[in-house]
Amino acid sequence: MPQVTEPDDRSFAARLDWLFRTVTDPQGRPYSVRHVAQELTGRGCRISHTHLSNLRQGRAPDPRQSVVDAIAAFFGQPSSFFAPGQDDVDGGRDLAHALANPHIKQVAMRLADARLSPEGHAAVVAMIEQVERLEAAARARRSGERPAEAR
């Protein structure tokens, strides 16, 4: 996956445009303004695709905080992503980089939608770790090495 870096311009419009250009759907395609507006409206943040397009192009004033929060959440960002000059205290940039991968975003969104208990989350993590071990063992067999945990 190519390295994802933040936009140089700290304006809301530039950062929103950057998200549209770098964050893709699970099939690897960029999101359309119309799709994002429909999703935000479905999540309770009424916004037209025209207004969202104007925000993206810098032709509308920066939106109220609730809209910023909804847009940030859709793209898997902390709201502070849109606040120039604030430090990334909560690891949001690392999360944004990870969520730029459509496979990771798909798993994260399914996990969020599932509303699992802490035990359910732990089971999912355990399954991921088991798959990781199985794939490492398969790679080791193909290359003729012993798995790392057996060393």
Side-chain angles (χ1 to χ4, degrees):
M1 175 169 63
Q3 175 142 1
V4 180
T5 58
E6 282 194 39
D8 292 332
D9 187 339
R10 306 290 288 185
S11 70
F12 180 86
R15 296 174 89 60
L16 180 59
D17 181 61
W18 180 83
L19 289 171
F20 271 101
R21 289 184 291 110
T22 60
V23 178
T24 58
D25 69 13
Q27 289 76 40
R29 296 183 305 246
Y31 287 104
S32 70
V33 173
R34 186 175 298 270
H35 174 82
V36 174
Q38 288 172 342
E39 282 291 318
L40 294 176
T41 298
R43 296 176 183 189
C45 176
R46 291 185 48 120
I47 188 167
S48 71
H49 69 277
T50 304
H51 183 60
L52 187 58
S53 179
N54 287 337
L55 287 170
R56 182 179 180 186
Q57 295 171 20
R59 294 190 300 214
D62 290 356
R64 64 186 183 277
Q65 190 61 46
S66 62
V67 174
V68 172
D69 294 344
I71 292 170
F74 175 84
F75 285 107
Q77 295 288 331
S79 297
S80 62
F81 174 82
F82 290 107
Q86 287 191 354
D87 291 337
D88 182 34
V89 176
D90 63 355
R93 287 188 190 112
D94 291 340
L95 178 61
H97 294 275
L99 289 175
N101 178 319
H103 302 292
I104 293 172
K105 183 174 181 181
Q106 181 183 27
V107 171
M109 294 304 294
R110 287 294 307 265
L111 192 57
D113 290 343
R115 297 189 175 140
L116 300 176
S117 67
E119 295 80 9
H121 283 271
V124 171
V125 170
M127 284 185 244
I128 291 170
E129 290 170 349
Q130 178 62 21
V131 170
E132 185 178 34
R133 286 189 293 274
L134 291 171
E135 289 191 354
R139 281 191 302 275
R141 280 192 303 276
R142 285 191 302 271
S143 67
E145 296 178 9
R146 290 187 342 200
E149 63 188 39
R151 292 182 187 165

